[in-house]
Each structure stands twice: as structure tokens, then as C-alpha cells.
Amino acid sequence: LDPARADDPVIARQLTYLNTFGRGIYPLALRLLHEHGEGELTAAELLVSLEHVQSLLLRRTVVGVTTDRLVARLCRAAAVSRGALVHAIARITPSDERTRVGLKYGDLPHAHYVLGRLAGTNGPDGLDLEHVVPLAPSDDWSPDGSRRWADLADDEQNSFRALAQTLGNLTLLEEPLAERAFGASFPEKRPVYASSDVVLTREIADASTVWSTAAIAARTEHLTDVFVRVWERPAVVS
């Protein structure tokens, strides 16, 4: 409930991350913390388990599979052994392939949490979620400085709308910079992005002078490669 009270700041950070997903997984988290307190789990083993749980919950959300009623099964596995818990988590964690498809076409869940970890920031405080293509562009919004939103074909507009909340179109931006970027066309946003301290955001400014559906897809693919490493599926040997 209050991760800041944990003695180990690394464990505290992991508990803060875990709280992103609500309280449903608390029975398992409490069991793991108890085992760590009793000396049955090292700090390193506890951290790995907390990471595995986050990967499970996030990947299932990405692919649209429910996370309800998982905790009892995982607690039973944890009561058997640490290896049994790892195996149980691996069995119900979506594969890299399914996760890639979910990220390519679906809205990004827990966007602040995901982007914050991908960017290596300490947390979302002071950072706003930024949509490169706005959710509701004005008629004058432009992806390249020459074509207005109102002049784009319906198919292109619909493609942008479909990708607006996917991983490739999202980033984090400091609040003062977010105010400057809000609703601006992409050429106007680029210098704002370039002045950000968030690496993910600066990379957008460096990547292209035009923001297109192809650019969004390419960025999604690049960030997905990082995503599947940060939120790994546990590797088990049958």
C-alpha cells in the first residue's frame, strides 16, 4: 500500500510498479514479501518474481486476455516451490509473437508506466502523456507542414485515428513542453521534442521530418523490441 516504507529502494520501486495493476495480485505479493522477510527468498529472487508478475499482467492486458482469478492459482504454485511459480507464470504469459501483434494494433495499456520504464525515467511525475498525432486533430493540423488534416483522404485520417493510441504514437513530455506541443502540427512539435530530457521523445525529433502511419509502425516495432526484453516471459525448461 505504501511502497516508500520498504527498506530496500529497489523493492520499493518494484512495488510501485506493481501497484499500476491494482490490488488483485496483492495476496501473491504479500506471500513473496513474507518469504523474503523470513529469509526464504533473496532480494534478487523477490525482484525477479515481481518482474515476472508484471510481465504476466501487462502482456495479458496487451493481448486482451483477462487477468481475473489468476492469483489463487499462482499462490498455490508459490506454496509448492519457487520453480513451480515460475512455471505457472510462464504457462499463462502470452508469447512474444502475440504481444507484438497486440502492441502493433491495439491501444497501449498503462501508457505512463510502460513509457516511463522504456524511457528509464524514475516515474511519471512531471511528465504528461503526449500523442504525436492528436486524438482529435484540428482541421489545420499537419503531419508534414504542407498538407492540412482537412485535406487528407478519409482512409489516411482513419489510419491515423486507428494508430493514435498505439505504442508508436505515444511518448512522455515535460509539462511545460506538453503545453507548447498540445494540438501543434508535427513540424512545430519537433523542436519541442528535441528539447526534452526524455530520450524516447528526442528520438522522435531525430527520426523524421514527416509523421506518417509508416513512421508510427516503425517506432512501434522498435519499441516493441525493447518492450519484450523489459517485460520478459519467464524461460522454463519442460
Side-chain angles (χ1 to χ4, degrees):
L1 291 175
D2 187 3
R5 296 178 61 184
D7 294 333
D8 186 327
V10 181
I11 293 175
R13 184 167 64 246
Q14 286 296 329
L15 294 176
T16 299
Y17 290 158
L18 194 63
N19 275 335
T20 301
F21 304 95
R23 299 185 177 190
I25 205 69
Y26 274 9
L28 177 61
L30 285 167
R31 182 184 186 93
L32 294 172
L33 287 167
H34 174 73
E35 291 177 355
H36 172 59
E38 294 296 307
E40 299 171 18
L41 276 184
T42 67
E45 289 171 334
L46 172 63
L47 293 172
V48 169
S49 292
L50 294 176
E51 287 280 17
H52 285 169
V53 171
Q54 291 171 65
S55 296
L56 166 67
L57 297 175
L58 183 58
R59 284 182 178 232
R60 287 177 72 94
T61 304
V62 164
V63 303
V65 178
T66 182
T67 59
D68 296 340
R69 297 187 295 278
L70 296 179
V71 68
R73 183 191 318 181
L74 297 178
C75 283
R76 286 194 297 269
V80 175
S81 69
R82 172 172 164 75
L85 175 61
V86 173
H87 191 75
I89 290 175
R91 285 186 61 198
I92 57 177
T93 300
S95 66
D96 288 359
E97 291 75 15
R98 289 184 66 193
T99 302
R100 287 179 181 278
V101 173
L103 290 171
K104 184 175 182 179
Y105 298 109
D107 294 353
L108 179 67
H110 308 299
H112 266 99
Y113 159 78
V114 171
L115 293 167
R117 293 203 63 183
L118 291 178
T121 63
N122 292 325
D125 293 344
L127 295 173
D128 285 350
L129 183 64
E130 164 70 1
H131 295 74
V132 184
V133 176
L135 291 176
S138 68
D139 286 347
D140 290 330
W141 186 87
S142 174
D144 52 18
S146 59
R147 298 182 303 152
R148 298 168 61 245
W149 177 263
D151 299 328
L152 301 183
D154 289 346
D155 286 349
E156 189 171 4
Q157 288 187 3
N158 290 334
S159 295
F160 272 128
R161 289 192 185 100
L163 296 174
Q165 298 197 76
T166 60
L167 176 59
N169 192 58
L170 299 175
T171 191
L172 296 175
L173 196 56
E174 294 86 345
E175 290 176 359
L177 297 180
E179 294 175 3
R180 291 169 52 192
F182 181 77
S185 294
F186 182 65
E188 298 168 323
K189 290 186 176 192
R190 286 187 67 229
V192 179
Y193 291 170
S195 62
S196 174
D197 289 332
V198 181
V199 174
L200 290 183
T201 305
R202 292 203 305 273
E203 288 175 348
I204 297 173
D206 297 336
S208 176
T209 58
V210 176
W211 196 245
S212 62
T213 55
I216 295 173
R219 185 167 180 266
T220 294
E221 183 176 358
H222 164 66
L223 293 181
T224 296
D225 289 339
V226 184
F227 183 104
V228 296
R229 292 197 300 270
V230 173
W231 291 277
E232 287 185 314
R233 182 172 183 248
V236 294
V237 178
S238 299

